Amino acid sequence: MLSLVLASAMVLTACFGGGTETKNSQVLNLVERQEPPNLDSAKSTDVVSFMILGNTMEGLYRLDKDSKPVLGMAAKEPEVSEDNLKWTFTLRDAKWSDGKPVTAHDFEYAWKRALDPKTASEYAYFLYPLKGAEAYNTGKGSADDVGVKALDDKTLEVVLERPIPYFKDILCFATFLPQRQDIVEKFGNKYALEADALVYNGPFVLSDWKHNQSFQMKKNPEYWDSGVVKLEEINWQIVKDNATQVNLYNTGKLDFTYLSSEFIDAFKNDPNTFNIDDGSSWYLEMNQTKDFFKNEKIRKAISLAIDRKTLVENISKTGSVPSGALVPPFIKASGVDDNKKYRDLVKMDPQYDPNKAKQLWQEGLKELGLSQAPSIELVGDDVTTAKQEMQFIQEQLRVNLGANVQITSVPFKERLERGKNQRFDLLYSGWGPDYNDPMTFLDLFTSDNSFNRGKYNNPEYDQLIKKAKENGNFKQRFEEMQKAEELLISEQAIVPLYYRTQKAVKKPFIKDWYWSPIGPEYTLKWASVDTGK
């Protein structure tokens, strides 16, 4: 508490640089709260790794300043067959960071490597729109039958199983990035685990990586569009504690910091504070491989026992919105009404009813033949905000249910591993959209999806998602997605908490730093430092 008071005092006395502040070099000093676990685009699954890949690599398309797909390695828009199944891309003249050309073979290799069952890519299903992709990934087909082929160094032919409304969007995603076969094979199991264990074709290169401490990017002189890249160097410190972040910011060692709840009031009048609407949905997953959480009344009781409004207004204080469902408000109503959002058409409000929660809890215990509940382990990240929010949930379940909840705060990489291996009772989870469509959230909870950490299993839900993915009638597809989400929440497969907004502050000399609710959290391709020149 003493360190917190001192840090808050420092904020109050050291805040608020003027709006015309400048810096004499194109160098930024930023902060990340977690170590990037893996920069292999076939295996990466986390927001930090995706941010690094989004700034150091480039696919056929990349997201622009408005989070819309624009040409990347593709030199022009593809030729698309009349049935929208065959897409033929022509690659621009581009080089890897070691000077070798980027070719269509790099894309074919990377996509098929991600689909290879031996790679064990959790995002392999992202490539399932390709003809033959699912069959190959599930051991029922061959790589030769997958619908991606380099016709020559500059021409890539892609054949789809069926038309999908968001194909161009998903081509911006990390799993669709190219990879160099010679580099992957050179480093083997160590590929992409160090800064010099891969090559780059994006605006920057990862020039240094001190694990669990820091990492650095420098401008990539070989990047085809390097003329628009102004930053010469970006340095990140990995700092989990927000008081330490703020201290570093106020003493000039950082040009940016996130703000957890205890610092928001101190910075509320600073014109350099801003909201990060990151598009993510946060929820609790319950380990349904365990008999206790297989009971629907127990799951519903946990959901009804949590006051989400108090959680976002009194604990996080960042402007997050209490959620009663999975899909966040900014996701568009794909193929139905481009002027409306999915949540405009599908209303599902958060529910808080401690009396009903207590009743269902007791009924669930009785059905399980228990006089009292077992101790419950809540697993989440070891950063300041996550700890505060888990403590609130712990207290809510104690007061409203009489539950004994033990918090286990672990590093980000370990939280991902524990979720993957079901080493939890309750898991504090979040998901950010990979493309702008409800399916980027809804297909997470099919029984065969590796990101379904709680192992929710309902054949009806699986069938609704399958039909929606295959349905060329976009109105029917929308209705199938709506039914699926309503089923997911009615059975309390997860406990929705909030749609996240974060608060942060940056130095006024940072210009054109674009944040996105889709894909990589932010891009620095167009960012610059106002040097006053």
Side-chain angles (χ1 to χ4, degrees), residues 35-46 49 52-53 113 179 183-184 186-200 206-212 214-215 238 413 417:
E35 161 82 356
N38 190 323
L39 298 181
D40 181 347
S41 58
K43 298 180 179 180
S44 295
T45 64
D46 67 283
S49 299
I52 295 174
L53 288 169
R113 177 172 174 263
Q179 292 183 337
I183 300 296
V184 174
K186 174 183 176 181
F187 289 102
N189 292 334
K190 295 182 179 179
Y191 172 70
L193 295 180
E194 303 292 342
D196 59 356
L198 69 166
V199 288
Y200 309 92
L206 191 66
S207 48
D208 187 60
W209 183 3
K210 295 181 176 64
H211 293 284
N212 296 301
S214 64
F215 54 93
I238 299 172
K413 184 175 182 180
E417 282 298 317

Side-chain angles (χ1 to χ4, degrees), residues 42 105-115 175 177-179:
H105 302 283
D106 300 329
F107 284 92
E108 179 182 358
Y109 170 75
W111 297 6
K112 288 182 176 179
R113 177 172 174 263
L115 286 166
T175 315
L177 291 169
Q179 292 183 337

Side-chain angles (χ1 to χ4, degrees), residues 131-285:
K131 185 178 181 181
E134 183 173 7
Y136 174 46
N137 184 240
T138 55
K140 300 171 185 174
S142 73
D144 292 339
D145 297 328
V146 175
V148 56
K149 185 177 182 181
L151 302 182
D152 54 47
D153 284 353
K154 292 289 187 183
T155 311
L156 185 72
E157 181 183 87
V158 179
V159 181
L160 305 181
E161 285 278 7
R162 62 191 66 85
I164 59 172
Y166 49 84
F167 183 54
K168 199 179 286 188
D169 294 75
I170 64 173
L171 287 175
C172 300
F173 190 65
T175 315
F176 286 89
L177 291 169
Q179 292 183 337
R180 280 261 299 280
Q181 184 173 357
D182 61 322
I183 300 296
V184 174
E185 292 176 351
K186 174 183 176 181
F187 289 102
N189 292 334
K190 295 182 179 179
Y191 172 70
L193 295 180
E194 303 292 342
D196 59 356
L198 69 166
V199 288
Y200 309 92
N201 72 324
F204 302 95
V205 300
L206 191 66
S207 48
D208 187 60
W209 183 3
K210 295 181 176 64
H211 293 284
N212 296 301
Q213 297 178 49
S214 64
F215 54 93
Q216 179 191 71
M217 289 182 198
K218 290 188 176 180
K219 182 176 177 177
N220 181 5
E222 299 290 353
Y223 180 52
W224 71 271
D225 203 18
S226 64
V228 307
V229 181
K230 299 181 178 66
L231 292 175
E232 295 292 338
E233 181 181 303
I234 312 107
N235 302 293
W236 282 266
Q237 293 187 54
I238 299 172
V239 183
K240 298 178 180 182
D241 178 65
N242 194 229
T244 305
Q245 291 180 27
V246 172
N247 185 17
L248 291 168
Y249 177 82
N250 282 324
T251 54
K253 295 181 176 66
L254 289 177
D255 300 325
F256 156 85
T257 180
Y258 296 96
L259 297 174
S260 56
S261 58
E262 63 267 32
F263 297 108
I264 288 173
D265 286 344
F267 279 91
K268 67 182 179 182
N269 295 320
D270 188 329
N272 302 304
T273 59
F274 65 102
N275 289 339
I276 302 169
D277 298 314
D278 65 16
S280 62
S281 182
W282 286 77
Y283 44 85
L284 295 179
E285 292 191 74

